[in-house]
């Protein structure tokens, strides 16, 4: 029987790293949770879940560009 090996690279982010990454790419964090049951995030949380949105940009004509996610 042939064996198939599949490998994944997984990157874990701390809250400051994730905030920085999102901010550098034009997002703002609206809410942070520590699990899918919406418990508050703490350093002891098993998960880091964010609700983020793209920040509106102003183009040359001063008209807002709205991103829909």
């Amino acid at each position: 029987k042939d064996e198939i090996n599949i490998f994944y690279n997984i990157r874990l982010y701390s809250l400051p790293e994730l905030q920085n990454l999102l901010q550098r790419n034009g997002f703002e964090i609206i809410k942070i949770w520590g699990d899918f049951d919406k418990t508050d995030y703490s350093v002891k949380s098993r998960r880091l879940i964010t609700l983020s949105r793209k920040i509106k940009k102003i183009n040359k004509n001063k008209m807002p560009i709205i991103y829909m996610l």
Side-chain angles (χ1 to χ4, degrees), residues 2-19:
D2 291 335
E3 184 176 310
I4 298 174
N5 294 312
I6 299 174
F7 297 94
Y8 295 96
N9 289 322
I10 297 176
R11 174 68 167 96
L12 302 178
Y13 292 94
S14 67
L15 180 55
E17 288 175 316
L18 186 58
Q19 286 173 318

Side-chain angles (χ1 to χ4, degrees), residues 19-29 52-57 67 69:
Q19 286 173 318
N20 187 319
L21 181 64
L22 289 167
Q23 184 180 23
R24 284 189 327 206
N25 288 283
F27 285 84
E28 64 179 340
I29 295 177
S52 303
R53 70 177 167 198
K54 186 78 171 172
I55 298 171
K56 296 178 188 175
K57 290 186 178 182
Y67 296 93
L69 300 177

Side-chain angles (χ1 to χ4, degrees), residues 12-69:
L12 302 178
Y13 292 94
S14 67
L15 180 55
E17 288 175 316
L18 186 58
Q19 286 173 318
N20 187 319
L21 181 64
L22 289 167
Q23 184 180 23
R24 284 189 327 206
N25 288 283
F27 285 84
E28 64 179 340
I29 295 177
I30 298 168
K31 183 70 179 157
I32 302 168
W33 296 283
D35 209 332
F36 292 108
D37 61 2
K38 297 185 179 178
T39 53
D40 291 335
Y41 175 77
S42 76
V43 293
K44 294 183 179 184
S45 297
R46 295 192 65 201
R47 292 182 173 86
L48 171 56
I49 301 167
T50 67
L51 172 62
S52 303
R53 70 177 167 198
K54 186 78 171 172
I55 298 171
K56 296 178 188 175
K57 290 186 178 182
I58 303 297
N59 63 18
K60 294 177 186 175
N61 298 323
K62 304 293 183 193
M63 298 295 294
I65 299 171
I66 301 172
Y67 296 93
M68 303 286 288
L69 300 177

